Amino acid sequence: MKKDLVKHIVILFSVLFLMTACKSSEKDIRQVKDFNFAWRFQLGDFPDAMKADFDVSNWRTLNLPHDWSIEGAFSAEHPAKPEGGALPTGMGWYRKTFNLSEDLKDKVITVEFDGVYRNSEVWLNGHYLGKRPYGYISFAYNLTDYLNFGEQPNVMAVKVDNSEQPNSRWYSGSGIYRNVRLVVAEKLHIAHWGTFVTTPDVSKEKAKVNLEVMLQNDSNLDKTFKLVSSIVNAENVQVSMVSSEASIQKNNIKTAVQEFEILNPMLWDTKNPYLYKVVTKVYEDSKLVDNYETPLGIRYFNFDAERGFSLNGKPMKIHGVCLHHDNGALGAVANRAAIKRKLTIMKDMGVNAIRVSHNPSSVELLQLCDEMGLIVQAEAFDVWKKKKVKADYHLEWDKWHKRDLEDLVKRDRNHPSVMMWSIGNEIREQFDSTGVAMTRELVNIVKTLDKTRPVTCALTENVPDKNFIYQSGALDLLGFNYKHKDYYDFPEKFKGEKIIASESVSALETRGHYDMPSDSIKRWPSAHNVPFDGNDDFTVSAYDQVSAYWGATHEENWKTVKSLDYISGMFIWTGFDYLGEPIPYPYPARSSYFGVVDLAGIPKDVYYMYQSEWTNKDVLHVFPHWNWEAGQDVDVWAYYNNADEVELFLNGKSLGVRSKQNDDLHVSWRVPFQSGTIKAVSRKGGEVVLEKEIHTAGTPSKIELVTDKKSIKNDDYDLVYVTVNVLDENENLVPEANNLIKFEVTGGGEIVGVDNGYQANLSSFKASEIKAYNGKCIVIIKSNGKEEIINLVASIDGDRIVASVDIKIE
Ligand code: GAL
């Protein structure tokens, strides 16, 4: 009894100690500086521009991240072709002049680039630091030996060469399109990507946490140090702490391991993505010499050959989307606010997973997936040694694949959201016996750095004997792209294997455009070289009725995946439309039709099919619009959930009650058009759940401006997205309105992009005007540094139709 009491008191004291210890307000010693500001840029090649005294006074000044391709004009003649977005590529140089204070002389100073497309070469004060061909990889250079301090400036020069084309099957962007930072550390410090946190044992009661820390001693002295790591919960309270001592020889690297235990851990999952962090401090003679934070989410997951995926012991279907890296009108620019909006739109649809196709992602995407509760499949490559297009990564394969794959894993392995490593997408070597050894080599590279996540590959060949990547026996999880009708045989064909639909659907839609499915099911022809019998205006119907011949409609595919427990889940190709790959159309089509959401971020109708299936929200979505020719037969579809039936009315008269039968995912009516109002009512047990009305709209008379937030940070990064709706005098959306909308921004803001989501729109994303497309468009605004309220005015035909909105500066 007494012993127990003592034990309890000890526990209580340790808890109190732990809770207070973290409140210490020791100042960070590691400095991480934003290095994006005030670069000079010039398109073209300047063989002497690495020299410190090279004159760049007439070069443009800009802030990173920057993508020069998105600033250009569309043309079918650009070497990247419409598949690459029909935008210019080429070569460009960036230069930045900066001073460092004398007190930084004894430090170790590193520059970190999150991504440069492509073939970047970096010089500091004329010294060559290196080249990284892969446009999606993050990298760093140690600058210490070449820096100037005090009055004498430093010059960093970066050459970017994206001239060899085509080198991508989609729009890549060109330039330093992700963030750059400068890191100032002491001689004894935690190395670049120098921590690795894992949770080898997790239960409701407790979690074991394992931390590896790679220490780097760049001094000429052997050192003894103390390593103190604390786990801090989301309320910023320390819940566990380990302190250890070790020594390291001069000019050496050493890995230290620390183990922790957390009682009653809060688990990370997609509904409550609870995040801890590990704060690591290095002391030399009780002086703090480095501090470093590692994200930590405590979760366990499993892929099962029969039951599919589970997270923290709970079965869960993966409801995923593939996403390319571009952010529409911003091009390849990696912007946290843009990515957050993209992921928010996906989450609202019910998405719980992202496949980053087909390359290493931005850092921000993974941070946001950690915070928002989205599972990630991180993917390394779209090609190995065998090319897909002339100048793609196959040229770099031999020299770079090991380093690039290692760097991807080292950078991303601390993110709780990352649960799968994909070593490739539709890799040609699956058809070739060289695939066996290559797969084993790549899996081994990943496993040497991280054994906690399954390694997968997105395959297309599903005849086991013919697929050499599968034959390697090295994959933990088989990813299959498309061919949903073949899934039924998989348990037989791939006995005991864990399976995910790594890519599916490839349906095509233009937002707001409707060809009646009862009249014309426009299907993709069954071979590549037969032209698609499409529409003259390069549109594809937004009823879920057209898909690539290798794919399926959204409904067909989801019905199959839903019915098979052994398929862990699926990734739709794609969540958003993206720049490039405009199949099935030729130029002027220049962006893809595959998205559930258009390039501007505006949902297509099928978004609500997923919402009705993948969320518990009450959904009733009725379409199309109600502006048709008198007497025309119109297919009216409704997606709904949480209800038994939907009744449709035309001008007050019932057109009948429908309910989904068997595995139906929508209900429909064929309605001879009469202008007026269609109204849908969903009911459960006779009670009304939702009602939706669509009215025949008149001519454009008003503009509605809808902002995604009311205020903006004054930091050059935050963005406000404003959706513009063209309305008639009764506030109905005018469904085919294509008026030119002119924007004017005054006060503390400026326009960074416009878009209307139309795949064949050739006007500039960087203009201050755009035509509405099917009644809608967007304008994207950021602050300009002035502490003034931002006022946006949108107008049609001079002052005939005007609307305005204010955005506050935070
Ligand atoms: C897949 C490929 C994707 C995209 C898609 C279009 O085969 O993996 O990158 O090209 O086809 O349907």
Side-chain angles (χ1 to χ4, degrees):
M1 185 76 180
K2 233 183 180 171
K3 223 168 137 197
D4 264 7
L5 191 66
V6 171
K7 205 168 125 195
H8 279 122
I9 291 172
V10 170
I11 291 176
L12 184 68
F13 271 106
S14 348
V15 169
L16 285 175
F17 167 75
L18 289 173
M19 290 177 69
T20 46
C22 72
K23 300 276 179 203
S24 82
S25 56
E26 209 164 31
K27 251 183 96 193
D28 285 356
I29 183 104
R30 169 179 286 249
Q31 298 172 46
V32 180
K33 298 170 190 274
D34 184 332
F35 209 55
N36 287 332
F37 287 89
W39 287 73
R40 293 279 191 159
F41 169 73
Q42 187 67 43
L43 266 180
D45 190 17
F46 306 91
D48 286 333
M50 75 285 281
K51 293 186 184 151
D53 58 358
F54 188 80
D55 180 15
V56 292
S57 53
N58 59 347
W59 287 19
R60 174 177 159 200
T61 301
L62 52 73
N63 298 336
L64 305 177
H66 170 243
D67 169 10
W68 78 68
S69 294
I70 201 70
E71 298 168 348
F74 292 105
S75 161
E77 304 311 316
H78 288 310
K81 304 280 173 211
E83 290 72 20
L87 286 166
T89 46
M91 242 188 247
W93 279 79
Y94 296 83
R95 297 235 320 183
K96 182 173 166 73
T97 303
F98 59 103
N99 285 72
L100 294 175
S101 56
E102 297 276 357
D103 59 322
L104 299 182
K105 254 187 173 154
D106 293 328
K107 313 284 180 192
V108 175
I109 300 184
T110 314
V111 64
E112 295 182 355
F113 288 87
D114 287 349
V116 184
Y117 204 94
R118 82 203 261 257
N119 288 315
S120 69
E121 289 177 90
V122 184
W123 291 261
L124 177 72
N125 298 331
H127 298 275
Y128 188 61
L129 297 173
K131 175 171 181 173
R132 286 309 286 254
Y134 197 17
Y136 298 102
I137 205 71
S138 297
F139 54 91
Y141 294 111
N142 187 338
L143 308 178
T144 314
D145 291 346
Y146 313 112
L147 284 167
N148 301 317
F149 296 91
E151 299 286 286
Q152 206 186 338
N154 296 285
V155 177
M156 184 173 287
V158 183
K159 176 185 176 188
V160 183
D161 185 354
N162 189 18
S163 55
E164 223 186 328
Q165 292 287 339
N167 61 52
S168 174
R169 297 188 302 111
W170 57 88
Y171 173 81
S172 64
S174 309
I176 309 179
Y177 69 101
R178 290 184 185 157
N179 291 310
V180 185
R181 63 192 78 80
L182 205 66
V183 178
V184 179
E186 301 294 308
K187 290 266 186 299
L188 174 63
H189 61 274
I190 295 168
H192 184 226
W193 301 325
T195 61
F196 181 30
V197 69
T198 55
T199 50
D201 216 340
V202 179
S203 69
K204 255 184 153 177
E205 293 73 39
K206 71 178 178 223
K208 280 199 176 142
V209 178
N210 191 84
L211 179 73
E212 287 174 24
V213 185
M214 202 199 280
L215 274 308
Q216 184 165 339
N217 180 8
D218 284 354
S219 79
N220 291 321
L221 298 170
D222 296 348
K223 303 229 167 186
T224 301
F225 63 89
K226 192 157 97 181
L227 189 67
V228 183
S229 296
S230 319
I231 297 182
V232 177
N233 71 13
E235 290 74 46
N236 219 15
V237 174
Q238 178 177 292
V239 294
S240 187
M241 197 246 278
V242 170
S243 170
S244 46
E245 273 186 44
S247 53
I248 183 168
Q249 288 174 335
K250 57 187 175 191
N251 296 312
N252 219 325
I253 289 177
K254 178 172 195 165
T255 301
V257 178
Q258 298 186 314
E259 285 173 2
F260 307 77
E261 204 173 80
I262 300 180
L263 297 179
N264 304 317
M266 291 288 293
L267 299 189
W268 185 99
D269 70 26
T270 52
K271 297 225 163 65
N272 180 22
Y274 192 92
L275 287 177
Y276 295 84
K277 64 184 174 196
V278 191
V279 179
T280 303
K281 293 183 174 175
V282 185
Y283 295 89
E284 218 188 312
D285 300 329
S286 67
K287 190 174 150 246
L288 181 68
V289 293
D290 203 4
N291 56 282
Y292 195 91
E293 275 186 17
T294 308
L296 169 65
I298 300 176
R299 82 286 184 269
Y300 59 98
F301 61 91
N302 187 43
F303 288 88
D304 184 275
E306 282 161 25
R307 290 180 298 276
F309 179 73
S310 63
L311 180 58
N312 302 327
K314 287 187 213 121
M316 179 178 161
K317 205 61 145 185
I318 291 188
H319 297 155
V321 289
C322 298
L323 291 177
H324 270 316
H325 68 311
D326 80 63
N327 289 311
L330 306 182
V333 165
N335 175 286
R336 196 183 152 92
I339 301 167
K340 186 166 183 184
R341 169 178 181 259
K342 202 166 169 180
L343 297 179
T344 304
I345 292 169
M346 292 292 97
K347 264 214 94 129
D348 287 349
M349 161 179 152
V351 167
N352 61 20
I354 307 292
R355 172 172 175 235
V356 186
S357 29
H358 306 296
N359 46 260
S361 70
S362 66
V363 174
E364 291 72 23
L365 181 114
L366 297 183
Q367 288 169 343
L368 285 161
C369 287
D370 288 351
E371 289 165 20
M372 297 170 74
L374 287 157
I375 293 165
V376 173
Q377 179 173 128
E379 189 155 73
F381 306 114
D382 191 49
V383 289
W384 293 353
K385 212 173 153 115
K386 289 200 149 98
K387 69 175 171 207
K388 288 186 180 165
V389 292
K390 193 177 107 208
D392 65 21
Y393 187 79
H394 81 281
L395 297 173
E396 318 301 337
W397 182 260
D398 284 342
K399 186 156 177 225
W400 285 101
H401 73 272
K402 181 165 186 287
R403 176 73 193 274
D404 286 335
L405 183 56
E406 283 172 352
D407 285 355
L408 165 72
V409 177
K410 281 189 201 159
R411 192 197 68 170
D412 294 349
R413 63 188 172 169
N414 290 322
H415 288 282
S417 56
V418 176
M419 295 194 197
M420 289 158 265
W421 298 115
S422 166
I423 52 173
N425 173 60
E426 301 192 351
I427 296 298
R428 296 280 187 254
E429 281 82 352
Q430 66 188 308
F431 309 112
D432 176 317
S433 60
T434 57
V436 172
M438 290 177 84
T439 308
R440 288 184 186 151
E441 187 216 344
L442 297 173
V443 173
N444 189 44
I445 292 171
V446 177
K447 298 267 167 161
T448 306
L449 292 165
D450 180 19
K451 294 186 180 56
T452 71
R453 296 167 172 95
V455 180
T456 186
C457 190
L459 309 169
T460 46
E461 176 54 76
N462 66 31
V463 177
D465 293 349
K466 290 191 182 162
N467 188 324
F468 293 92
I469 292 182
Y470 167 67
Q471 289 297 329
S472 74
L475 296 179
D476 303 306
L477 173 69
L478 304 183
F480 284 103
N481 287 7
Y482 305 101
K483 301 186 191 152
H484 66 291
K485 289 191 183 130
D486 296 353
Y487 294 171
Y488 298 97
D489 295 346
F490 280 6
E492 268 307 302
K493 276 177 51 184
F494 299 98
K495 268 216 167 70
E497 296 287 357
K498 301 155 183 186
I499 295 170
I500 189 158
S502 35
E503 196 174 308
S504 48
V505 186
S506 273
L508 306 149
E509 279 111 12
T510 298
R511 177 197 36 91
H513 176 83
Y514 304 98
D515 300 326
M516 294 305 140
S518 301
D519 303 335
S520 68
I521 296 278
K522 290 199 175 170
R523 287 231 162 237
W524 188 289
S526 57
H528 251 309
N529 48 5
V530 183
F532 173 63
D533 173 28
N535 297 324
D536 292 344
D537 60 355
F538 306 95
T539 54
V540 183
S541 175
Y543 293 96
D544 178 19
Q545 70 192 92
V546 184
S547 62
Y549 70 82
W550 52 90
T553 63
H554 292 277
E555 292 198 8
E556 277 164 7
N557 181 78
W558 169 234
K559 280 180 193 175
T560 310
V561 173
K562 188 181 174 181
S563 69
L564 301 173
D565 287 347
Y566 54 86
I567 303 287
S568 304
M570 61 182 251
F571 290 95
I572 305 167
W573 189 265
T574 44
F576 268 60
D577 281 349
Y578 51 92
L579 289 159
E581 215 176 23
I583 48 179
Y585 285 118
Y587 192 77
R590 46 61 171 165
S591 56
S592 87
Y593 292 75
F594 295 117
V596 178
V597 169
D598 76 15
L599 193 69
I602 305 171
K604 304 175 187 176
D605 297 286
V606 75
Y607 180 92
Y608 302 96
M609 185 281 281
Y610 287 109
Q611 205 175 50
S612 72
E613 286 285 297
W614 290 358
T615 76
N616 296 323
K617 290 177 214 172
D618 290 343
V619 174
L620 174 60
H621 179 75
V622 192
F623 60 105
H625 55 75
W626 209 240
N627 279 47
W628 300 97
E629 301 283 315
Q632 181 180 347
D633 287 329
V634 181
D635 289 313
V636 177
W637 285 25
Y639 299 124
Y640 71 93
N641 67 357
N642 301 343
D644 317 316
E645 59 180 37
V646 180
E647 185 166 7
L648 188 73
F649 299 87
L650 173 58
N651 295 330
K653 188 170 159 259
S654 175
L655 299 175
V657 175
R658 303 273 191 277
S659 51
K660 292 187 265 195
Q661 307 296 318
N662 306 316
D663 62 355
D664 284 353
L665 297 171
H666 72 267
V667 289
S668 64
W669 296 259
R670 182 82 162 159
V671 183
F673 178 74
Q674 255 174 40
S675 80
T677 302
I678 46 164
K679 174 174 163 181
V681 180
S682 65
R683 295 191 201 95
K684 189 177 178 72
E687 299 281 309
V688 173
V689 179
L690 286 173
E691 290 187 358
K692 286 281 159 77
E693 287 187 4
I694 307 175
H695 307 276
T696 304
T699 52
S701 315
K702 289 182 182 169
I703 296 173
E704 180 186 36
L705 299 175
V706 184
T707 58
D708 69 340
K709 42 191 183 212
K710 301 268 167 283
S711 63
I712 191 170
K713 290 193 199 89
N714 191 1
D715 66 356
D716 204 56
Y717 296 117
D718 200 9
L719 302 173
V720 169
Y721 281 75
V722 186
T723 304
V724 179
N725 295 318
V726 180
L727 308 180
D728 72 1
E729 59 179 0
N730 298 317
E731 325 258 301
N732 300 307
L733 183 79
V734 183
E736 284 175 343
N738 60 358
N739 309 70
L740 181 68
I741 317 279
K742 294 198 175 195
F743 300 107
E744 209 183 318
V745 176
T746 49
E750 64 189 50
I751 293 173
V752 288
V754 291
D755 190 11
N756 62 17
Y758 176 39
Q759 290 101 343
N761 174 38
L762 296 183
S763 69
S764 171
F765 291 120
K766 296 291 168 195
S768 56
E769 58 179 42
I770 190 162
K771 279 181 156 189
Y773 184 71
N774 289 336
K776 287 172 177 277
C777 60
I778 61 161
V779 54
I780 311 165
I781 290 170
K782 71 166 190 163
S783 70
N784 63 7
K786 289 189 211 153
E787 287 282 340
E788 288 170 26
I789 288 183
I790 302 170
N791 178 254
L792 166 71
V793 176
S795 61
I796 296 175
D797 300 340
D799 56 7
R800 186 172 77 84
I801 309 174
V802 182
S804 99
V805 68
D806 281 350
I807 300 155
K808 286 194 200 111
I809 302 280
E810 282 170 20

